[in-house]
Amino acid sequence: MNAPALKTEIEPVAIPAGVYAETVTEVHHYTDRLFRFRMTRPAEFRFRSGEFAMIGLMIDGKPLYRAYSVASPAWDEELEFFSIKVPDGPLTSHLQNLQVGDTVLMRKKPTGTLVNDALLPGNRLYMFSTGTGIAPFASLIRDPETYEKFEEVILVHTCREVSELKYGFDLVEEIRNHEFLSEIAGVKLKHYATVTRDANYPHQGRVTDLMRNGKLFTDLGVPPIDPEIDRGMICGSAAMLKETKQLLIDAGLNEGANNKPGEFVIERAFVD
């Protein structure tokens, strides 16, 4: 007589107290280095477009969190994130394997300086980004408030290769085809994408070099940065932040913060 098979009990993952546990609804891999995912949004979770949240996973029985800009706008019913894949990254080495239905942890308090409130009124808003630094701007360019505050919004995105620019192009196309965003953004939104390693792309070079030699402004058909009307937001690598910040200071702009708005702001939160 055969002995009855033993039923295997799967231990549920214990969720830490005081955090949200949300469900992944969509995953899209752009390259072997970049992907985005969407997940459910807690009904009571409020944030300003451009802020970041601490998101994480349970790894070896412990929660591990990193700062990620919320790429979806404040009005969206879900939360979107855009991430790099780091093979040995403590969190991203696991995050890149997310599948629909998986659970992601999120702390309850968002924060950040890349918000409209941290800028003084102006006419033209530059959003300078490299790589996944475009994420907070993905939120802001889909928020009607941005176009209420600025007459012109210029999204500048620099990557190594053309394939890494696709997320930005998809965003702009989404806005152009959106029922109400297309009317609000209209001709106000400009997208300037550049690469540093692909010789076949029209716009080449680091954005800081294109600012120095004036090509950025010539290509866009706008005058050089004027502290009276121009405002800036910067998100990217540490070197890019430092260099772009100095160029804006040299142009006469002052750095702002949530408690003291200025002509430009920087996000210093990074993921590994």
Side-chain angles (χ1 to χ4, degrees):
M1 184 174 179
N2 294 330
L6 295 176
K7 183 179 179 181
T8 302
E9 294 291 339
I10 299 176
E11 290 290 334
V13 176
I15 303 300
V19 301
Y20 297 118
E22 299 305 311
T23 303
V24 175
T25 60
E26 182 184 345
V27 181
H28 183 89
H29 293 270
Y30 287 90
T31 70
D32 59 357
R33 295 182 67 250
L34 299 169
F35 75 106
R36 73 171 173 87
F37 67 94
R38 292 176 66 85
M39 67 185 196
T40 54
R41 174 179 178 174
E44 66 273 23
F45 182 69
R46 297 288 181 268
F47 70 98
R48 295 176 296 173
S49 294
E51 288 188 315
F52 66 85
M54 300 299 293
I55 65 171
L57 299 171
M58 293 296 294
I59 298 173
D60 296 329
K62 297 180 180 179
L64 179 63
Y65 300 94
R66 291 292 185 270
Y68 273 79
S69 293
V70 182
S72 46
W75 54 262
D76 202 325
E77 294 181 353
E78 292 188 334
L79 298 174
E80 179 177 310
F81 298 92
F82 184 47
S83 178
I84 192 171
K85 305 176 187 179
V86 181
D88 56 352
L91 179 61
T92 53
S93 60
H94 299 274
L95 203 64
Q96 64 185 295
N97 296 319
L98 282 178
Q99 297 182 9
V100 172
D102 286 348
T103 298
V104 175
L105 307 180
M106 183 174 69
R107 289 181 178 164
K108 294 188 175 183
K109 184 174 175 56
T111 188
T113 54
L114 294 180
V115 293
N116 286 318
D117 293 343
L119 290 176
L120 293 170
N123 292 348
R124 184 182 297 116
L125 173 60
Y126 285 93
M127 299 174 172
F128 298 106
S129 64
T130 56
T132 55
I134 193 176
F137 305 142
S139 176
L140 285 158
I141 64 173
R142 288 184 279 184
D143 192 324
E145 182 190 10
T146 303
Y147 302 100
E148 293 170 3
K149 297 193 71 169
F150 297 96
E151 291 301 315
E152 194 171 9
V153 177
I154 300 174
L155 174 64
V156 182
H157 189 207
T158 301
C159 291
R160 298 185 307 175
E161 301 168 355
V162 174
S163 60
E164 297 175 339
L165 295 171
K166 182 168 173 50
Y167 180 70
F169 284 116
D170 286 352
L171 284 171
V172 174
E173 183 179 3
E174 175 189 329
I175 292 171
R176 303 292 188 213
N177 295 325
H178 196 274
E179 182 179 0
F180 69 85
L181 283 179
S182 58
E183 296 182 8
I184 296 171
V187 296
K188 288 187 173 185
L189 176 62
K190 292 184 177 180
H191 179 206
Y192 189 90
T194 177
V195 295
T196 57
R197 295 188 184 179
D198 196 328
N200 296 319
Y201 195 68
H203 298 148
Q204 298 181 39
R206 297 160 67 239
V207 63
T208 46
D209 291 336
L210 298 174
M211 292 170 71
R212 286 193 189 92
N213 63 27
K215 190 175 189 302
L216 172 68
F217 310 111
T218 301
D219 289 345
L220 288 168
V222 298
I225 290 178
D226 179 349
E228 293 298 318
I229 64 171
D230 290 327
R231 302 293 177 259
M233 292 180 166
I234 313 171
C235 191
S237 66
M240 175 267 194
L241 289 179
K242 181 179 179 180
E243 197 172 348
T244 309
K245 172 182 175 178
Q246 191 58 53
L247 286 172
L248 295 185
I249 290 175
D250 293 344
L253 280 66
N254 297 303
E255 185 174 358
N258 280 297
N259 60 353
K260 188 181 179 182
E263 285 89 28
F264 76 92
V265 286
I266 292 175
E267 186 56 78
R268 294 181 172 87
F270 298 98
V271 298
D272 63 2

